Amino acid sequence: MKYHSFLIKYAEIGIKGKNRYMFEDALVKQIRFALSQVDGEFEVSKESGRIYAKANGEYDYEDAVEALKRVFGISGICPMVQVEDLGFEELKRQVIEYVNQEYPEKNFTFKVNARRANKQYPLTSEEINRDLGEALLEAFPGLSVDVHHPQVMVHVEIRSRINLYSQIIPGPGGMPVGTNGRAMLLLSGGIDSPVAGYMIAKRGVVIEAVYFHAPPYTSDRAKQKVVDLAKLVSRYAGPIKLHVVNFTEIQLYIYDKCPHEELTIIMRRYMMRIAQIIAQKEKCQGLITGESIGQVASQTVQSLAATNEVCTMPVFRPVIGFDKQEIVDISEKIGTFETSIQPFEDCCTIFVAKHPVTKPNINMIHRSEEKLAEKIEEMVNTAVETAEVVICQ
Ligand code: ATP
Ligand code: MG
């Protein structure tokens, strides 16, 4: 195997002091989790401002890179060769061998970029750059040096051992999950909410999810689809605790007591209320939805305001200003699209009125909800207490 290890780069802007340790520790934890899904055994360590993932023996290189590309907080993944420090003459040979293995076509411009963490090393960085550059030119006459825009930058990091790398595979950016609190995602089987969860997790937030299930109006397959989506999001966000709430009784009760054109809004207000109760129990600080202004009748600004009225927690709506196509593009990129478009009913689609209100009058909504006074509180409590928990990973 060519590479035994990866050097992990992360954006350091704005993370200093105590926050830096928190950031690095969370990143190490997430890298461990991501690599635990890959064939092979890995050791992830933090050494003097660097994070390394080293393989013990054989491993699946492609899968390891794919897994690392999903770890928020990583800005670059550098497949690396680590060699022993056996003196400078030996280093020349090692670097020539590295370039020889790495680049079958020897006709590019390059630059050597040496860093000495080991200040005892007998040569300065400048001398190392110059002498290794010369050695490479001599070994491969097709190469030439370009110090400003080299096609290949050969990084040589001199520590107790020596790191050689020249590829930087872009990571997803963002912040490591676990550095920015916890929020509850309202996850339906659609396209938008998995994308919303991904976007908030990318900012370092641990996410849990709640799904409102309405059997027998929604099938077990609809529920399985949501579990599958949570698993897909968990590839980025880490394990997701999914709360499956049985919403049937509440939906039927609303259907029975309230004007049908207000059904969607009132239903959505109860979803938010229940999500918020579970979120509080789980010590979440916010809710997340996949709402986008104007996408459907329940997402006009007036409808969003009516839904939002029942929330005391902040509601994060990361796709609020996106066009559908923009959301679809992200869902394709993160691999949730194909699952999202499987044709299973979600609970909203069954109870939708022919002409739902698009500009709900909040006083009328309050009056309609009063008609639920007799049983709704108990029903909400039951829904919360009987929620089923599925760990998705
Ligand atoms: P999505 O594509 O995410 O399903 P949508 O376009 O179908 O969204 P709505 O059905 O109006 O829009 O739902 C808006 C948001 O409300 C969803 O993005 C999701 O966050 C939440 N939501 C809707 N239905 C459910 C459900 N059955 N369980 C949990 N959350 C839901
Ligand atoms: Mg939906």
Side-chain angles (χ1 to χ4, degrees):
M1 180 132 330
K2 211 158 56 152
Y3 309 110
H4 327 109
S5 25
F6 299 93
L7 171 65
I8 306 297
K9 301 216 164 195
Y10 48 93
E12 291 168 43
I13 303 161
I15 49 158
K16 298 206 175 74
K18 215 172 105 208
N19 285 339
R20 181 181 172 123
Y21 289 106
M22 197 182 72
F23 185 102
E24 289 172 341
D25 290 345
L27 188 52
V28 165
K29 184 170 163 221
Q30 295 303 322
I31 292 171
R32 284 196 183 123
F33 173 71
L35 290 175
S36 72
Q37 323 267 357
V38 175
D39 258 354
E41 215 184 274
F42 300 88
E43 231 171 79
V44 183
S45 60
K46 210 169 87 168
E47 286 167 36
S48 46
R50 285 264 185 260
I51 292 177
Y52 296 106
K54 295 183 186 169
N56 294 329
E58 294 288 308
Y59 71 103
D60 188 325
Y61 172 80
E62 302 293 332
D63 276 7
V65 170
E66 284 310 308
L68 292 170
K69 277 168 132 178
R70 292 192 295 262
V71 178
F72 296 133
I74 294 183
S75 63
I77 303 152
C78 313
M80 172 181 100
V81 172
Q82 202 168 53
V83 296
E84 300 294 336
D85 179 2
L86 302 171
F88 192 62
E89 282 312 306
E90 186 57 16
L91 180 59
K92 278 189 195 169
R93 208 194 55 72
Q94 287 160 327
V95 169
I96 289 169
E97 176 60 17
Y98 168 78
V99 169
N100 191 32
Q101 292 269 330
E102 187 85 7
Y103 301 97
E105 307 275 331
K106 279 133 189 117
N107 55 357
F108 49 84
T109 63
F110 77 99
K111 175 183 173 179
V112 176
N113 179 25
R115 263 178 74 168
R116 289 182 321 157
N118 170 9
K119 300 291 179 203
Q120 308 303 316
Y121 202 77
L123 282 79
T124 66
S125 302
E126 280 313 303
E127 288 166 341
I128 299 169
N129 289 342
R130 193 194 56 211
D131 292 359
L132 289 180
E134 270 173 18
L136 283 171
L137 287 173
E138 216 167 279
F140 308 114
L143 301 194
S144 55
V145 171
D146 181 342
V147 291
H148 299 295
H149 303 286
Q151 286 163 322
V152 173
M153 179 81 92
V154 181
H155 296 271
V156 178
E157 283 191 357
I158 306 200
R159 296 168 175 265
S160 53
R161 302 175 84 196
I162 299 173
N163 299 334
L164 305 177
Y165 65 93
S166 58
Q167 260 191 79
I168 305 181
I169 301 162
M175 313 272 282
V177 170
T179 54
N180 268 324
R182 178 182 288 269
M184 181 66 71
L185 168 66
L186 283 88
L187 182 60
S188 67
I191 295 169
D192 310 326
S193 46
V195 169
Y198 163 88
M199 289 177 73
I200 296 299
K202 187 172 179 205
R203 301 312 304 157
V205 179
V206 175
I207 58 175
E208 291 192 23
V210 53
Y211 165 58
F212 295 92
H213 190 38
Y217 303 97
T218 53
S219 63
D220 270 355
R221 293 181 69 189
K223 174 177 150 190
Q224 186 56 44
K225 177 182 170 185
V226 173
V227 171
D228 292 343
L229 284 169
K231 284 185 183 167
L232 290 170
V233 176
S234 81
R235 301 192 315 158
Y236 298 87
I240 295 176
K241 188 172 178 185
L242 171 69
H243 306 260
V244 180
V245 172
N246 188 321
F247 202 50
T248 313
E249 291 299 312
I250 293 175
Q251 245 176 341
L252 290 173
Y253 190 48
I254 299 170
Y255 193 73
D256 190 34
K257 299 283 182 188
C258 302
H260 288 183
E261 64 275 12
E262 291 175 2
L263 208 68
T264 305
I265 294 289
I266 295 175
M267 233 171 56
R268 295 196 51 72
R269 283 164 61 94
Y270 278 97
M271 281 189 188
M272 296 305 256
R273 287 178 171 115
I274 292 170
Q276 188 164 265
I277 295 170
I278 299 175
Q280 273 154 354
K281 284 192 173 185
E282 297 290 315
K283 309 219 170 353
C284 295
Q285 295 95 27
L287 300 174
I288 309 164
T289 74
E291 290 162 311
S292 152
I293 292 174
Q295 199 185 81
V296 286
S298 61
Q299 295 176 28
T300 63
V301 169
Q302 292 89 342
S303 303
L304 288 165
T307 309
N308 198 71
E309 195 210 24
V310 301
C311 301
T312 50
M313 266 188 193
V315 182
F316 306 128
R317 300 179 173 90
V319 301
I320 195 73
F322 283 7
D323 293 341
K324 192 75 190 183
Q325 189 57 46
E326 293 172 302
I327 304 173
V328 165
D329 289 347
I330 301 178
S331 77
E332 284 180 329
K333 186 182 87 179
I334 66 175
T336 52
F337 183 72
E338 290 302 323
T339 305
S340 287
I341 59 173
Q342 288 172 6
F344 304 119
E345 300 281 284
D346 74 22
C347 61
C348 306
T349 44
I350 288 157
F351 291 91
V352 283
K354 282 203 188 69
H355 302 288
V357 284
T358 53
K359 293 188 181 127
N361 175 318
I362 201 73
N363 296 321
M364 280 168 68
I365 300 284
H366 288 169
R367 244 171 281 141
S368 301
E369 284 185 354
E370 277 164 25
K371 299 184 186 132
L372 304 169
E374 193 192 334
K375 290 207 256 171
I376 195 72
E377 207 180 302
E378 195 191 319
M379 288 176 133
V380 165
N381 289 340
T382 304
V384 170
E385 279 157 21
T386 59
E388 178 200 354
V389 170
V390 185
I391 304 292
C392 304
Q393 64 181 39

